[in-house]
Amino acid sequence: MAKELMKGNEALAEAAIRAGCRFYSGYPITPQTEILEYLSWRMDEVGGTFVQTESELAGVNMLLGAAAAGARALSSSAGPGFSLKQEGISYLVAADLPAVIIDVMRIGTGLGDIAQGQGDYWQLTRGGGHGDYHTIVIAPASVQENCDLMQTAFTLAEKYRHPVLVASDAAIGQMVEGVELPPMHEHDVDTYDWAVRGCAAGAEPRKVQNTYYTRPDYVEYLRDKYAQMEEQEQRWEAYRAEDADVVLVAYGISSRISKEAVDLARERGFRLGLIRPITLWPFPTKAFAACENAKAFLTVEINILGQMADDVRLAVQHRCPVDFYGVFFDLPEPEDIIAKAEALLGKEGK
Amino acid sequence: MKLKAPESVFSSASFCPGCGHGLAGRLIGEVAEELGIEHKLVTVVDVACCSFHIDYWKFDTIMAAHGRDIPTAVGVKHVRPDSAVMAYMGDGAAYAIGMAETIHAALRNDNICVFVINNSVFGMTGGQMAPTSLPGERTATSPKGKDPARYGTMSGLELVKQMDVAYVARGELIGSSGMVRAKTLIRKAFTHQLNGDGFSLVELLSPCPTNLNLPPVKAKAFVHDEMTKYFPLGEFVDKGGNV
Ligand code: SF4
């Protein structure tokens, strides 16, 4: 199939359509607004529904209604708007409903700014809303992956009857790359019997509510669900990591710059490698077993506090040092990454 | 004549004695059966007292987040245009935390029915002041009476009725004539949806004896005599009708 040029955000939108998504509700906020703009006409073409809602709160709760009715449903936001989505994400989890929500990360707390950021890592991976939950979080690193992973997101959402979050960022959202689009899927809203539609004569009415009210095994059910996700859904890419002395850990746009740093360092005889988490939750702890030679790990992140470093510390069980290289309102620089990695290795006395 | 309970209503046992919710639930059940939509009706209920209906109605039902019933119902209607879809909530959900959702669904003329049970307080949480509490009304958060200088009194219906929607009406769940009238309003709202006319909002004034700290008979009198001064009964919009 011929490749075509697409902007990251538009690729997410088109890939959702091709994954059978026929419902979108959301609110404009930079840097994800192209998703709305694209779907405002594209949903018409495929006979789907696009609603620009009065707020992210309305958007995510409309998404919940569409998901409960059996549609493959999508919403998207960024920054402060993504915070407003948390109410609905918690309710989607509580009611066992599949849906996909995209966070095109921008930088900073509060209003922050519209440049690329990776400061939502904790919010995405720790359960950003109230209560006791995780969500599967998928982090594409290219426009092509935007296309490929949207299908994965919907598949996993339905497999677990659970919301799935797609963590993109302003850089990948705005960049234009050649992509091969996936084939078109249609989704039948009657696929699952739990979807509300009206209660047939003599049937038990369907009730979409917190499963805690109805499941005697609620606690075990949730624990098992998350254990199964952790066991089965870890995804990552290892790049020249096996023999590396220092292994970088980076996702999204930071992982691309980290790859450059790995190649550059290797040309100079410094064995640098990279683990790129594709799922941020479940965190790909299994990836670290193969890094047999590693003496230190360095996360590369666009945030101030090195939000992912603790997950790496847990993954390597504190067997060797883990540090982070973080930039704010900027992109990581390969030379700076290498310098920090060398310093880390030096400190370990090789 | 022997009165027969609608088959689509199992019970209404958890509501306090004298509460209007059970009456509203029954009327909705009767109307659904009379219109023959009981097998294609999807209801969305708010949390708190409204949510009891999820166990009392024989309809597919979603328990939505507080004040988000309307967008949730709109999501269902888009995906299932052949289903009849209604949102059922209290005045706190519709006119306090969910006011934006109410107004904008009306602005889009979304083809759903909204039923608002207005009892002038937050019920389940213990009778706190609401936008619909009357001036001077004593509630759990206005123990000296609602101060009109600080908190106004209004129903969101007043805004919705100015918009290009299908149907807006207010009734009361009081006495046999009030009940007969309320049933007519509910039926008209569903009929508009089935005709594809768009958004309907029916507000039903309802007694909450528990939180008004009144015996059921006096709570009814409060609704009928006091609440109707601020929230007049009637039909305000009826697309294609005689209003
Ligand atoms: S608290 Fe009020 S609204 Fe709730 S069930 Fe009791 S009387 Fe009805």
Side-chain angles (χ1 to χ4, degrees), chain A:
Chain A
M1 214 172 117
K3 282 203 170 190
E4 47 191 291
L5 281 175
M6 276 195 111
K7 199 176 199 179
N9 281 340
E10 294 180 349
L12 285 170
E14 179 61 30
I17 296 277
R18 286 167 186 248
C21 170
R22 293 294 177 272
F23 184 90
Y24 176 92
S25 51
Y27 186 86
I29 182 169
T30 311
Q32 60 85 48
T33 307
E34 293 88 353
I35 299 173
L36 271 88
E37 291 177 353
Y38 188 92
L39 291 174
S40 69
W41 57 268
R42 186 66 172 122
M43 276 297 182
D44 274 352
E45 285 187 349
V46 295
T49 300
F50 166 88
V51 186
Q52 181 174 326
T53 52
E54 59 274 24
S55 69
E56 284 88 353
L57 285 169
V60 74
N61 285 289
M62 206 177 280
L63 174 85
L64 186 147
R72 285 201 166 158
L74 175 75
S75 189
S76 63
S77 196
F82 189 64
S83 291
L84 291 177
K85 298 282 189 204
Q86 303 308 320
E87 173 187 285
I89 294 171
S90 180
Y91 273 82
L92 285 161
V93 172
D96 264 359
L97 290 174
V100 176
I101 299 128
I102 300 169
D103 177 18
V104 183
M105 281 185 278
R106 50 193 259 172
I107 192 93
T109 43
L111 181 62
D113 215 321
I114 60 172
Q116 68 282 335
Q118 295 182 319
D120 297 353
Y121 183 88
W122 282 332
Q123 185 187 33
L124 288 158
T125 58
R126 266 57 186 167
H130 59 285
D132 224 0
Y133 71 94
H134 281 291
T135 38
I136 294 177
V137 184
I138 298 177
S142 66
V143 181
Q144 182 64 57
E145 262 194 350
N146 278 358
C147 295
D148 303 337
L149 292 174
M150 276 314 277
Q151 177 67 54
T152 309
F154 281 104
T155 304
L156 292 179
E158 282 164 28
K159 177 176 174 187
Y160 293 101
R161 289 184 61 179
H162 204 277
V164 170
L165 309 180
V166 174
S168 183
D169 61 63
I172 292 170
Q174 302 298 321
M175 81 175 45
V176 175
E177 290 184 307
V179 290
E180 210 168 292
L181 288 166
M184 187 70 93
H185 285 279
E186 292 295 336
H187 172 75
D188 180 356
V189 295
D190 289 335
T191 304
Y192 302 104
D193 184 61
W194 48 255
V196 295
R197 66 201 72 175
C199 175
E204 273 297 304
R206 300 173 183 88
K207 296 176 185 179
V208 177
Q209 61 183 331
N210 199 320
T211 53
Y212 148 72
Y213 305 145
T214 49
R215 289 192 80 109
D217 64 339
Y218 176 72
V219 172
E220 295 73 29
Y221 168 71
L222 267 195
R223 285 183 184 151
D224 288 353
K225 192 188 247 198
Y226 293 129
Q228 203 188 333
M229 288 177 187
E230 287 195 272
E231 183 48 41
Q232 294 184 13
E233 308 306 342
Q234 294 183 21
R235 286 166 169 74
W236 70 90
E237 180 196 359
Y239 182 68
R240 306 179 87 166
E242 248 169 66
D243 66 337
D245 288 316
V246 178
V247 177
L248 305 175
V249 187
Y251 64 93
I253 188 66
S254 299
S255 70
R256 295 176 63 153
I257 299 162
S258 297
K259 254 186 200 176
E260 261 182 74
V262 167
D263 291 342
L264 196 61
R266 295 245 171 195
E267 280 171 25
R268 299 172 187 168
F270 175 30
R271 284 184 301 193
L272 202 55
L274 169 71
I275 299 282
R276 174 171 77 91
I278 295 172
T279 50
L280 304 184
W281 199 92
F283 191 73
T285 50
K286 293 177 188 175
F288 292 81
C291 305
E292 288 170 355
N293 195 45
K295 295 168 185 69
F297 291 85
L298 180 70
T299 70
V300 180
E301 307 181 55
I302 309 175
N303 59 45
I304 299 170
L305 298 176
Q307 298 189 6
M308 190 167 54
D310 280 343
D311 280 340
V312 179
R313 288 186 186 107
L314 287 173
V316 302
Q317 312 234 323
H318 291 271
R319 276 192 302 266
C320 52
V322 176
D323 205 348
F324 75 93
Y325 163 80
V327 292
F328 186 68
F329 221 98
D330 208 348
L331 282 170
E333 282 294 333
E335 290 292 359
D336 294 347
I337 296 170
I338 295 170
K340 179 109 189 190
E342 276 175 337
L344 194 56
L345 188 61
K347 224 171 24 190
E348 286 318 294
K350 314 243 161 127

Side-chain angles (χ1 to χ4, degrees), chain B residues 134-206:
Chain B
L134 307 188
E137 186 174 340
R138 284 172 192 269
T139 72
T141 50
S142 58
K144 294 179 185 161
K146 184 180 188 179
D147 177 1
R150 291 188 61 205
Y151 296 103
T153 292
M154 83 167 285
S155 155
L157 179 149
E158 304 304 329
L159 297 174
V160 171
K161 76 182 188 189
Q162 298 168 38
M163 298 180 185
D164 188 19
V165 295
Y167 187 65
V168 180
R170 185 184 284 123
E172 58 173 356
L173 296 166
I174 305 291
S176 53
S177 64
M179 289 292 286
V180 170
R181 187 83 187 123
K183 186 171 169 181
T184 304
L185 308 184
I186 293 167
R187 186 188 292 109
K188 285 180 95 166
F190 276 120
T191 306
H192 276 293
Q193 184 181 157
L194 297 175
N195 291 341
D197 296 338
F199 190 83
S200 297
L201 185 145
V202 174
E203 182 183 304
L204 298 169
L205 304 182
S206 171

